[in-house]
């Protein structure tokens, strides 16, 4: 009976650790969407010059957090989305980005978007590395805690 409870404890601990590590997956996905949107916006500014709202509606196919923030900023200013997985400096950076795009001439915007693309690319790379490192760490720690509970139960 105690072995059965120990195995259940291992499974529960691993599931909890996977749920706790999801913040790194969400963070990576957020920066991937940010990078994708910025690249699309740069192309739109350079060539077709469509509005930001039409670009958001076209690219918002899978309802990610980044596009929810974009819609909240440009369409629904009453709605507030919490960005718990981002640092305060990154949230401020995003606010600055959202308040800057679409407010200047074409050449200045292209320079700005190219600079942002490099910065977001660096953050995306860092987020991918953190996801790989910490996600496996969380799972291993959850497994070890489950084994410790199993040993205590035996």
């Amino acid at each position: 009976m105690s072995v059965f409870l120990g195995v259940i404890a291992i499974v529960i601990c691993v599931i909890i650790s996977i749920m706790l590590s999801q913040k790194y997956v969400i963070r990576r996905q957020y920066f991937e969407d940010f990078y994708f949107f910025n690249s699309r916006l740069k192309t739109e500014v350079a060539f077709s010059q469509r509005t930001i709202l039409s670009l958001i509606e076209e690219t918002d196919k899978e309802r990610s957090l980044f596009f929810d923030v974009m819609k909240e900023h440009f369409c629904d200013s009453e709605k507030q989305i919490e960005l718990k997985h981002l640092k305060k400096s990154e949230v401020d950076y995003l606010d600055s980005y959202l308040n800057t795009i679409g407010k200047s001439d074409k050449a200045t915007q292209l320079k700005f978007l190219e600079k942002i693309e490099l910065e977001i690319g660096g953050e995306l790379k860092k987020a991918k590395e953190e996801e790989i490192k910490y996600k496996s760490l969380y799972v291993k720690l959850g497994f070890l805690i489950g084994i410790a509970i199993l040993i205590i139960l035996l």
Side-chain angles (χ1 to χ4, degrees):
M1 184 65 166
S2 61
V3 174
F4 180 70
L5 291 175
V7 171
I8 289 177
I10 291 173
V11 170
I12 289 173
C13 288
V14 169
I15 290 171
I16 289 171
S17 66
I18 290 171
M19 289 177 6
L20 290 173
S21 69
Q22 286 302 304
K23 65 183 174 184
Y24 295 103
V25 175
I26 293 169
R27 181 178 165 78
R28 179 205 31 89
Q29 181 65 44
Y30 185 85
F31 280 111
E32 282 180 350
D33 291 342
F34 195 171
Y35 187 83
F36 173 75
F37 177 79
N38 190 70
S39 298
R40 280 295 301 267
L41 183 61
K42 188 173 78 169
T43 303
E44 293 297 327
V45 168
F47 298 110
S48 68
Q49 299 177 350
R50 293 185 325 177
T51 65
I52 293 173
L53 290 177
S54 65
L55 184 61
I56 291 169
E57 289 171 1
E58 180 183 307
T59 53
D60 182 25
K61 302 243 190 285
E62 35 185 80
R63 300 283 306 155
S64 70
L65 182 63
F66 178 76
F67 291 107
D68 287 344
V69 171
M70 295 295 288
K71 282 185 175 180
E72 176 253 317
H73 182 78
F74 289 108
C75 303
D76 189 11
S77 60
E78 296 173 8
K79 186 179 177 186
Q80 290 287 34
I81 297 173
E82 285 189 42
L83 301 172
K84 297 180 274 188
H85 59 282
L86 294 179
K87 300 170 190 158
K88 179 159 175 32
S89 61
E90 294 168 343
V91 173
D92 294 341
Y93 184 80
L94 177 64
D95 285 339
S96 171
Y97 175 83
L98 294 176
N99 290 326
T100 304
I101 57 175
K103 304 257 186 334
S104 61
D105 63 291
K106 181 178 177 178
T108 306
Q109 276 199 33
L110 285 173
K111 288 179 187 175
F112 173 75
L113 294 173
E114 287 172 5
K115 178 181 164 251
I116 295 294
E117 187 171 30
L118 292 174
E119 292 174 10
I120 297 171
E123 289 295 320
L124 176 58
K125 183 179 177 185
K126 194 164 58 170
K128 284 180 179 179
E129 290 170 357
E130 286 178 353
E131 178 188 6
I132 291 168
K133 181 169 66 172
Y134 291 121
K135 188 173 180 185
S136 65
L137 177 69
Y138 274 68
V139 172
K140 290 173 188 173
L141 284 174
F143 184 73
L144 287 175
I145 291 170
I147 288 179
I149 292 172
L150 174 65
I151 291 171
I152 290 171
L153 290 175
L154 292 177

